[in-house]
Amino acid sequence: MPFRDLIQACRSHLSFYGWRMVLVGCLFRFLGGGFHFYGFTVFVSPLEKDLGISRAATNLIFGLARAEGAVEGPLAGYLIDRFGPRPIMMIAVLFTGLGYVLCSWVESYWALLVIYLGVVSLAFGAGFMHCPMVLANSWFFRFRARAMALVSCSIGIGGALLAPVLAYVVYYYGWRWGMVFAGTVFLAAGTPLAAMVRRSPEDMGLAPDGDYSARTSQTPDRPSAGGKATTEPDVGIWEALRGAPFWLLVASTLFRVLGLSTVIVNFVQILGWKGVGPLAASWFLGVFAALSLPTHLIVGWLADRLDKARVMAVCMLVAAAALVLLTYVQNTLWIWLFLPLFSLVEAVFPVTWAMVGELYGRRNFAKVRGNMGFFYQWGGMIGPAVAGAIYDATLSYKPALLGMAGLYVLSAILYLLLGRTRLARMRAASSG
């Protein structure tokens, strides 16, 4: 290709409207990660002191919110595929923003529980978690893993940048003004972002990845990374549920979410067990969140070039080794090695959804993702509770950490089986 044509192709690719949709998804995840996912920990101690509630009671809110996301996952997937991401994101912004403002007025634990679960968290998962991934899947085909990696890593970046700002507001002005601040930012920033959303490239006369000629979403022929034409699958939800790849993805993701949620929820306590003070542990948590950017980009780039299942398997094995390392080391300098190694767990998330898009296509992506969530999101509730119970009984996190390392090895094996199952399915489709 002549140099001038190469430059023109690069400009056309970078100016593709799909990257604007990725940016919207990133900013949505940035807000949700900073003020909700990581920001929730900022409110724990002030709520306990002001409302007179226990640590177990505040953790129950977190666990029930995860369970709520699991139960409503299939419905959220259906609504997103039926009406598109924009109205769901608008509703999520409204509910989350107003919910945080309402939380600033509560005077009892039960009022907080009702508002947090009935308003704040009601549409958060659908609008801030599912919809950004649906956008990345709808607008990209060949660059799907990289687009999803950018969206996914924004949660950690939000935690690294916005959670400290929220902590500053809570420290100097109180948790009630912190709730008002978070709700106001959600409404002020989220509303115009949701208004920018466009459902798919075909709606604008474009094609995924910025290809020049638009094609229908039913039977699109797209060039693969190797330059050969490939046909994007269009698999219905019931067909997906009957296939082995769906359940291999569910089981491996369940183990991954169980371990990641356990470490994040108990991060300060685990490092305290290793002799690290609470302030230093909180700082390590910020570093861990910030590491999501480089690891997501590297793993996403590799996944678009190599076999996705093998990339995910290697990441899980590295994360398992990191948990064993954390279990036995005593010098806090080793924590610096643990952080980047374990951050690969989060980097597997976008590759998982890229694999889902590759296996099932775009039309029913949200349904497949939502039904997967119904099964795997329970790990986010079960893992922290079991780890806490183990610590209460043994005064050690060693059994929990080694148990999670074993589950991560099992998850790697399941990913390798997924790769073989997918390859067999692709060969059968091509021969047919």
Side-chain angles (χ1 to χ4, degrees):
M1 177 184 293
F3 182 73
R4 180 179 299 178
D5 292 342
L6 178 62
I7 296 297
Q8 180 63 32
C10 291
R11 288 178 177 175
S12 176
H13 175 67
L14 293 175
S15 63
F16 175 48
Y17 198 85
W19 292 115
R20 301 185 190 181
M21 296 297 94
V22 170
L23 178 61
V24 170
C26 288
L27 292 175
F28 251 72
R29 287 284 187 103
F30 180 79
L31 290 173
F35 289 134
H36 188 80
F37 190 77
Y38 285 96
F40 177 79
T41 59
V42 173
F43 296 107
V44 171
S45 294
L47 284 171
E48 291 174 356
K49 183 181 297 184
D50 195 19
L51 300 183
I53 55 181
S54 65
R55 178 66 53 85
T58 54
N59 285 345
L60 178 63
I61 298 176
F62 179 85
L64 290 177
R66 288 299 184 93
E68 182 181 33
V71 171
E72 67 186 22
L75 176 61
Y78 169 79
L79 293 175
I80 295 170
D81 281 338
R82 176 68 176 81
F83 299 105
R86 180 163 59 179
I88 307 302
M89 295 170 83
M90 282 285 192
I91 293 172
V93 168
L94 179 64
F95 272 64
T96 305
L98 290 180
Y100 269 102
V101 174
L102 290 174
C103 281
S104 68
W105 294 87
V106 301
E107 297 291 344
S108 68
Y109 172 72
W110 292 108
L112 175 66
L113 190 67
V114 169
I115 295 176
Y116 194 84
L117 296 179
V119 184
V120 174
S121 300
L122 186 63
F124 180 86
F128 287 87
M129 296 292 108
H130 292 300
C131 285
M133 281 300 181
V134 171
L135 285 175
N137 184 68
S138 298
W139 281 84
F140 291 92
F141 185 77
R142 287 175 289 127
F143 307 111
R144 182 177 280 149
R146 272 170 281 186
M148 290 184 171
L150 287 170
V151 172
S152 183
C153 73
S154 300
I155 295 179
I157 302 304
L161 298 180
L162 291 184
V165 175
L166 183 62
Y168 177 89
V169 175
V170 171
Y171 182 81
Y172 284 101
Y173 300 100
W175 68 269
R176 296 184 186 276
W177 281 110
M179 292 280 190
V180 173
F181 173 70
T184 302
V185 175
F186 269 123
L187 292 170
T191 302
L193 286 173
M196 294 174 58
V197 169
R198 298 295 180 268
R199 181 168 187 168
S200 69
E202 288 80 4
D203 289 347
M204 301 182 65
L206 302 173
D209 299 308
D211 291 340
Y212 290 106
S213 58
R215 303 176 179 89
T216 64
S217 60
Q218 270 56 354
T219 58
D221 291 331
R222 315 218 189 282
S224 65
K228 296 180 180 180
T230 60
T231 300
E232 183 179 356
D234 185 9
V235 181
I237 180 59
W238 297 115
E239 182 181 353
L241 288 171
R242 291 194 297 268
F246 178 89
W247 298 106
L248 288 172
L249 280 168
V250 165
S252 55
T253 306
L254 171 65
F255 297 149
R256 178 159 46 86
V257 168
L258 187 150
L260 180 61
S261 297
T262 300
V263 171
I264 290 180
V265 172
N266 297 278
F267 192 91
V268 174
Q269 289 76 19
I270 291 174
L271 293 193
W273 171 63
K274 304 301 294 186
V276 179
L279 291 179
S282 299
W283 193 81
F284 275 123
L285 179 61
V287 173
F288 176 75
L291 284 171
S292 64
L293 176 60
T295 54
H296 273 73
L297 296 180
I298 292 171
V299 173
W301 181 83
L302 289 173
D304 275 335
R305 284 165 169 75
L306 305 175
D307 182 79
K308 292 180 176 60
R310 292 182 180 179
V311 170
M312 291 190 288
V314 170
C315 288
M316 297 310 298
L317 290 175
V318 172
L323 288 172
V324 174
L325 176 71
L326 181 63
T327 302
Y328 289 105
V329 299
Q330 297 299 325
N331 194 325
T332 56
L333 291 177
W334 286 102
I335 296 175
W336 289 105
L337 179 59
F338 163 78
L339 294 177
L341 294 180
F342 191 74
S343 68
L344 291 174
V345 176
E346 282 194 290
V348 173
F349 274 99
V351 185
T352 300
W353 303 125
M355 176 75 80
V356 170
E358 185 177 288
L359 286 170
Y360 305 110
R362 296 187 293 157
R363 182 186 297 182
N364 299 295
F365 176 81
K367 294 188 189 74
V368 174
R369 177 182 160 93
N371 279 272
M372 284 180 59
F374 178 79
F375 297 100
Y376 76 75
Q377 285 189 357
W378 294 99
M381 179 179 181
I382 296 171
V386 172
I390 290 175
Y391 182 82
D392 289 338
T394 65
L395 297 181
S396 173
Y397 281 104
K398 180 179 178 180
L401 293 174
L402 293 180
M404 288 187 296
L407 289 178
Y408 278 9
V409 173
L410 180 57
S411 180
I413 295 173
L414 293 176
Y415 281 131
L416 293 177
L417 290 175
L418 172 66
R420 296 185 64 179
T421 304
R422 181 188 57 157
L423 181 60
R425 179 176 176 176
M426 292 172 63
R427 286 175 176 172
S430 61
S431 63

